[in-house]
Amino acid sequence: NEDKTTKPKWGMWGEEEDGLFHGLFPRRQLWRPHLEYPLWHADWDGRQPIPVMSVDKDESARLTAQRDRQIRKDGVTKHIILIRHGQYDETHKEDEKRLLTPLGREQAAMTGKRLGQMIRGVNEEFGPCKVKVVRVSNLARAKETADIIYDNMDLGNFDGEMVEMADPDPLLNEGRPCHHVPGGKARPSVVERTDEHHPRIEEAFN
């Protein structure tokens, strides 16, 4: 029997498809979500609890719904805080020379101070926001920004859980993961960059 590989239900997998998607970019580079828009994929991060098992199907559905309501009420909320690097010197092409300007360093320092306030708790109404780790790409401007932010959090006397500073991760370097709509027809160089960057960026967020 012929071995037929089952296609994933999501992602950029139309390798054999020819032509352009509405004249914009190669149809093979069309990103397909898990579920048709605007439906929400409940197991988007692979951590959705399995259904509560019961002999009776209706009872299983009832117990699962009850469990899910309790999770929404009392469960853990994950915060992912996205921070762009500060203003940097764009006159150089070499990454190691594209460092922060004085304004960029000031922006990073102010961001660090604000994050430190959030981690400690701004006031009684806005209590501590638990931050476990700071992650950063391997680009010079991003690493410099992250270092300044971390140093300005001022958590030396903080009695809560310490915040980890992860090693720079090249997988997080900026790139072009997919095409955006609306947008004009993609140039050949953009198509090439999408083919090059997409697998790396997908790996970074999986």
Side-chain angles (χ1 to χ4, degrees):
N1 295 333
E2 183 180 355
D3 181 21
K4 295 184 178 180
T5 303
T6 302
K7 289 184 179 295
K9 295 181 179 180
W10 57 275
M12 194 182 292
W13 47 259
E15 294 87 355
E16 78 290 349
E17 295 190 25
D18 296 324
L20 298 177
F21 178 73
H22 293 276
L24 298 174
F25 51 81
R27 189 173 293 276
R28 62 180 175 77
Q29 289 186 335
L30 175 65
W31 174 263
R32 296 165 173 83
H34 284 265
L35 298 174
E36 183 181 1
Y37 177 82
L39 297 178
W40 172 252
H41 181 59
D43 195 29
W44 65 272
D45 61 353
R47 298 184 178 184
Q48 175 77 359
I50 62 174
V52 178
M53 303 306 295
S54 176
V55 176
D56 181 75
K57 184 177 180 180
D58 291 338
E59 178 69 2
S60 176
R62 186 188 71 80
L63 292 173
T64 298
Q66 184 182 52
R67 188 271 318 277
D68 291 346
R69 284 196 298 272
Q70 194 68 27
I71 289 176
R72 288 194 293 271
K73 179 182 177 183
D74 302 324
V76 176
T77 299
K78 178 187 292 185
H79 295 93
I80 300 177
I81 303 173
L82 302 178
I83 302 174
R84 193 171 187 265
H85 54 74
Q87 185 190 70
Y88 67 100
D89 184 350
E90 299 184 60
T91 61
H92 301 283
K93 292 185 177 180
E94 300 88 349
D95 175 62
E96 62 274 13
K97 295 180 180 180
R98 308 184 86 181
L99 301 175
L100 299 186
T101 65
L103 174 59
R105 291 191 289 273
E106 181 182 355
Q107 292 169 336
M110 293 179 65
T111 302
K113 288 181 172 63
R114 180 57 178 168
L115 277 178
Q117 291 177 339
M118 293 171 60
I119 293 170
R120 290 187 298 272
V122 177
N123 50 42
E124 292 183 2
E125 182 179 357
F126 189 87
C129 178
K130 185 176 181 180
V131 174
K132 297 181 65 176
V133 61
V134 174
R135 301 191 183 278
V136 61
S137 77
N138 199 42
L139 295 177
R141 56 189 179 275
K143 291 187 288 188
E144 186 179 7
T145 300
D147 287 341
I148 295 174
I149 286 175
Y150 194 80
D151 290 342
N152 280 272
M153 286 182 183
D154 192 24
L155 300 178
N157 297 321
F158 180 55
D159 57 3
E161 185 176 343
M162 291 305 298
V163 179
E164 174 192 355
M165 182 67 174
D167 293 333
D169 187 352
L171 292 178
L172 295 175
N173 288 3
E174 68 179 19
R176 187 180 181 89
C178 60
H179 298 284
H180 54 79
V181 178
K185 182 177 180 180
R187 302 186 303 275
S189 60
V190 172
V191 172
E192 184 178 344
R193 285 204 308 275
T194 304
D195 279 335
E196 178 186 353
H197 297 167
H198 172 78
R200 169 180 61 79
I201 296 173
E202 274 300 298
E203 184 180 352
F205 288 94
N206 283 335

